[in-house]
Amino acid sequence: MQNTIDAIVAASKLPLSIIIVGIGDADFSAMHQLDADDVPLVNSHGEKMARDIVQFVEFSQFDSVGQLGRLANETLQELPRQVCDFATLRRVNPLPARPVAPYVPQPSMSQLSHQTSFATQPSMGHLCHSRLYRTCH
């Protein structure tokens, strides 16, 4: 277990997130420890993790059909904060959000030949950048 903790503490300085989903009815107490939501991990040299990079969820808490959306939400919930924490650790500030044009439906093939510009449509980069900026600030 200490080798795993040492590896996670070392990885906490890297652009990495670790997502663990526990399957079955095993004892997941070690996985909860690695999640480190309550107590930060400390390696064998006494160095504390630079940031939280582990998210652990137990599948059995979400195994009914109606709960799969909650499973996805719970599994990915810490990821935006982990990205922001890494950016902060590296002293990288996201640029201010750029205005995003309203969604414009894709033209049909017959309309495509008459339309010359898609400049009013937002790119995924703009949408992701805008969401990340709001998450980090």
Side-chain angles (χ1 to χ4, degrees):
M1 180 72 164
Q2 190 59 51
N3 288 339
T4 302
I5 291 172
D6 290 350
I8 290 173
V9 171
S12 69
K13 297 176 187 140
L14 302 173
L16 173 75
S17 291
I18 300 170
I19 297 173
I20 305 168
V21 178
I23 307 286
D25 59 354
D27 175 12
F28 293 118
S29 57
M31 297 301 109
H32 286 288
Q33 180 184 357
L34 295 177
D35 192 4
D37 282 339
D38 300 322
V39 179
L41 298 177
V42 178
N43 70 12
S44 54
H45 303 289
E47 180 184 0
K48 190 168 89 172
M49 61 194 298
R51 61 189 184 89
D52 178 22
I53 64 169
V54 179
Q55 172 69 350
F56 171 71
V57 295
E58 290 185 49
F59 183 79
S60 62
Q61 295 178 353
F62 308 96
D63 61 356
S64 65
V65 175
Q67 298 293 316
L68 293 180
R70 271 191 57 229
L71 171 65
N73 184 49
E74 185 75 19
T75 303
L76 300 174
Q77 140 183 359
E78 292 183 14
L79 199 55
R81 177 54 44 204
Q82 291 173 1
V83 170
C84 294
D85 288 347
F86 178 76
T88 300
L89 180 69
R90 295 294 183 169
R91 296 186 178 143
V92 174
N93 293 319
L95 297 172
R98 294 177 269 185
V100 177
Y103 174 73
V104 177
Q106 295 290 330
S108 67
M109 290 306 286
S110 62
Q111 294 171 327
L112 191 57
S113 62
H114 296 96
Q115 189 169 348
T116 57
S117 173
F118 292 96
T120 59
Q121 296 181 5
S123 70
M124 281 306 290
H126 287 173
L127 293 174
C128 293
H129 179 272
S130 176
R131 288 184 185 128
L132 179 61
Y133 183 81
R134 285 192 303 270
T135 301
C136 294
H137 287 81

